[in-house]
Amino acid sequence: GRMAPHPFAFVEVSQNLPETLSIWSDGRTVLTSPANTGLPAGSAQTPDGTYLIFYRLPLQTMHGVTDTGQPYTYPNVPDIDYFDNNLAIHGFVRAHYGYPQSQGCVELPLAAARSAYAILDYGDIVNITGIPGLPATSSG
């Protein structure tokens, strides 16, 4: 007999070019943004699938190893919503968005990441679809 404290949100990430992230909440689209997913080959791929947001942080230093074996450290990554092991939706400064270029996470422009973080919560669904590098529409 109790209502959830916030509307349910559903995230759709399309890896078809140009890559996008859309969030639906309370039956309507509340955010659409260009996004970056992981490089299409090797361990940096963003896997297709459906996931739940299980951990959230307003700010974190991210570190790991690139697909080529080079260590990386990115301080002050904002607005993080983890959905699969070490993969998350988060803000990240890039010259361009809409193309695979991350280490597997879903990167958003900072303002879009801030908006997404304000909308999303634990248990919201993230659905990743598409083939990295394939255009969203094809004539043949």
Side-chain angles (χ1 to χ4, degrees):
R2 292 182 17 204
M3 297 266 309
H6 64 88
F8 169 78
F10 178 83
V11 180
E12 180 74 29
V13 177
S14 172
Q15 295 190 86
N16 293 333
L17 297 181
E19 294 183 326
T20 59
L21 173 141
S22 295
I23 300 176
W24 287 269
S25 180
D26 206 19
R28 61 188 173 86
T29 303
V30 294
L31 178 69
T32 300
S33 173
N36 300 330
T37 63
L39 297 167
S43 63
Q45 279 185 309
T46 305
D48 279 358
T50 303
Y51 309 91
L52 298 178
I53 293 174
F54 69 90
Y55 192 60
R56 306 180 77 228
L57 291 168
L59 195 68
Q60 180 184 34
T61 296
M62 292 185 163
H63 54 86
V65 178
T66 68
D67 193 41
T68 60
Q70 299 298 312
Y72 66 85
T73 299
Y74 300 129
N76 302 316
V77 176
D79 303 312
I80 305 163
D81 287 291
Y82 282 97
F83 61 86
D84 180 37
N85 193 17
N86 62 346
L87 299 181
I89 299 165
H90 61 76
F92 200 80
V93 175
R94 294 274 190 189
H96 303 284
Y97 297 88
Y99 304 94
Q101 53 188 315
S102 78
Q103 294 303 316
C105 287
V106 177
E107 300 172 343
L108 299 176
L110 297 181
R114 189 175 321 114
S115 295
Y117 192 78
I119 296 165
L120 299 174
D121 208 341
Y122 290 95
D124 287 339
I125 294 174
V126 177
N127 191 49
I128 313 285
T129 62
I131 300 170
L134 185 68
T137 58
S138 175
S139 60

